[in-house]
Amino acid sequence: MLGEFELIERFLTPSSAPAGQGGVALGCGDDAALLELRPGRQLVVSVDTSNVDVHFPTGAPAEAIGHRALAVALSDLAAMGAGSRWCTMALTQPRDAFAHADQAARWYADFARGFHRLCERHATALVGGDVTSGPLGISVTVMGEVPTGQALTRAGARAGDIIAVTGALGGGAGGLLLWQRGERDLSHPLLSRYLLPEPRLAAGIALRGRASAALDISDGLLADLGHLRRASNVGAELDMAALPAADGLVDAFGKREAQKMMLGGGDDYELLVTLSPKDLDSARQALEKTGLSLTVIGRCSNTPGVHGVPLEMAQGWQHFEEAR
């Protein structure tokens, strides 16, 4: 079977050495990487862990697992308005995951292809990591840059600001349910939204200087809106009729279930933002250049809590809570 160092050299080391390029003075192969920030930039760092049967299902294609593990981490940079530059990746895999070496080699080649393709699309250099044995899981640390003082945060929203989302909602939750029902065609728009999410990095950059607060929608619209409300000390009035549903969601599950998925399903990785009304047109024009829409779904208020949402739908994803 493949050894740790052979696995790293064959599949996880970038084919084109980034040393000396893109701010990488020393990349994969040493005990640590040496990276160089550009003048006038702040470093933005986030880590995200993806575990089998928590964040992706057993049997998911290896290429999708590689893509997804990086995408969900990059989404945090997008929420801050940062451009991505570097990442590290720690991969854990059971010792008995594969019956023979050829099967292992195919899995790792597919996994690496999904991971490296997304790296290339977002000019992100893999500069180090680790491989070990245990339950299947991937931890990705992403590092990016933002002009000093221009990072988007959760704490800038004010009463009267518009609440808006990029793209569409509910696709992640809908795709997971379709997988559980036996759908395996990744060209299905909902399954693609779940297993192959797209980090909205260009949108985050476009919203710098326009959005007053932002974060990505990973735990569900209501849960993540709660994070923003608490950080900004505002309430929210939502317009249920304005929520933008992912393609095929209502047809597959009906309006009421689709609304539940849009509000609390999670795994959408769109951006939830607040803006002054005067900045809305400018933000929409900037986002059009990235190929994304911006949909107004409500307003911030001085009244605590969220209003306009049926009580039975007011729930988002939380790790460690009891199953419901």
Side-chain angles (χ1 to χ4, degrees):
M1 296 298 286
L2 293 169
E4 172 188 353
F5 300 111
E6 180 188 4
L7 190 160
I8 292 171
E9 183 176 355
R10 286 182 60 183
F11 302 110
L12 302 182
T13 302
S15 57
S16 55
Q21 300 176 6
V24 182
L26 182 64
C28 291
D30 220 297
D31 289 316
L34 299 176
L35 309 174
E36 297 172 344
L37 282 174
R38 291 174 289 186
R41 303 292 176 116
Q42 290 177 302
L43 180 65
V44 185
V45 180
S46 182
V47 63
D48 211 292
T49 298
S50 297
N51 290 322
V52 66
D53 290 331
V54 177
H55 303 95
F56 59 90
T58 297
E63 186 169 348
I65 295 172
H67 171 106
R68 195 180 194 284
L70 176 59
V72 301
L74 289 176
S75 185
D76 287 331
L77 297 186
M80 303 291 290
S84 180
R85 299 202 65 190
W86 313 291
C87 69
T88 62
M89 185 255 290
L91 171 64
T92 304
Q93 182 76 270
R95 291 181 182 273
D96 59 353
F98 307 105
H100 49 78
D102 288 346
Q103 183 185 17
R106 286 194 299 271
W107 191 94
Y108 286 116
D110 290 345
F111 173 88
R113 182 166 53 251
F115 192 94
H116 289 313
R117 279 181 178 172
L118 196 60
C119 279
E120 292 169 3
R121 281 172 47 197
H122 293 288
T124 303
L126 177 63
V127 296
D130 189 30
V131 175
T132 188
S133 62
L136 178 57
I138 310 100
S139 290
V140 178
T141 298
V142 288
M143 292 157 276
E145 288 182 341
V146 65
T148 299
Q150 293 186 30
L152 301 175
T153 72
R154 303 176 179 186
R158 298 173 293 275
D161 280 357
I162 289 167
I163 302 171
V165 294
T166 62
L169 305 176
L176 172 58
L177 188 52
L178 287 182
W179 177 277
Q180 292 170 341
R181 292 180 178 180
E183 178 64 64
R184 295 294 183 266
D185 182 2
L186 265 63
S187 67
H188 191 292
L190 295 178
L191 198 58
S192 178
R193 287 294 300 264
Y194 170 54
L195 285 177
L196 298 169
E198 290 297 330
R200 303 308 193 187
L201 288 158
I205 291 171
L207 289 165
R208 284 196 313 234
R210 297 181 172 93
S212 54
L215 77 170
D216 71 326
I217 303 173
S218 56
D219 297 329
L221 173 63
L222 288 181
D224 291 313
L225 178 58
H227 301 322
L228 187 151
R229 288 190 299 104
R230 286 187 288 274
S232 295
N233 195 29
V234 295
E237 296 277 352
L238 291 186
D239 179 2
M240 291 285 292
L243 299 180
D247 289 345
L249 188 69
V250 175
D251 290 341
F253 302 106
K255 182 178 179 180
R256 185 171 179 79
E257 288 303 311
Q259 287 179 329
K260 290 181 180 179
M261 292 176 185
M262 287 187 280
L263 289 171
D267 281 327
D268 281 322
Y269 302 102
E270 296 292 351
L271 299 185
L272 170 65
V273 300
T274 60
L275 312 100
S276 170
K278 66 180 177 60
D279 292 321
L280 178 60
D281 288 343
S282 173
R284 279 178 163 160
Q285 291 170 9
L287 280 185
E288 283 178 2
K289 297 176 182 178
T290 74
L292 278 179
S293 61
L294 185 68
T295 302
V296 175
I297 62 169
R299 286 183 179 271
C300 297
S301 71
N302 286 317
T303 305
V306 177
H307 302 272
V309 176
L311 183 61
E312 67 272 17
M313 296 186 183
Q315 183 66 270
W317 169 258
Q318 295 183 54
H319 287 282
F320 304 118
E321 75 169 1
E322 292 183 6
R324 58 181 188 275

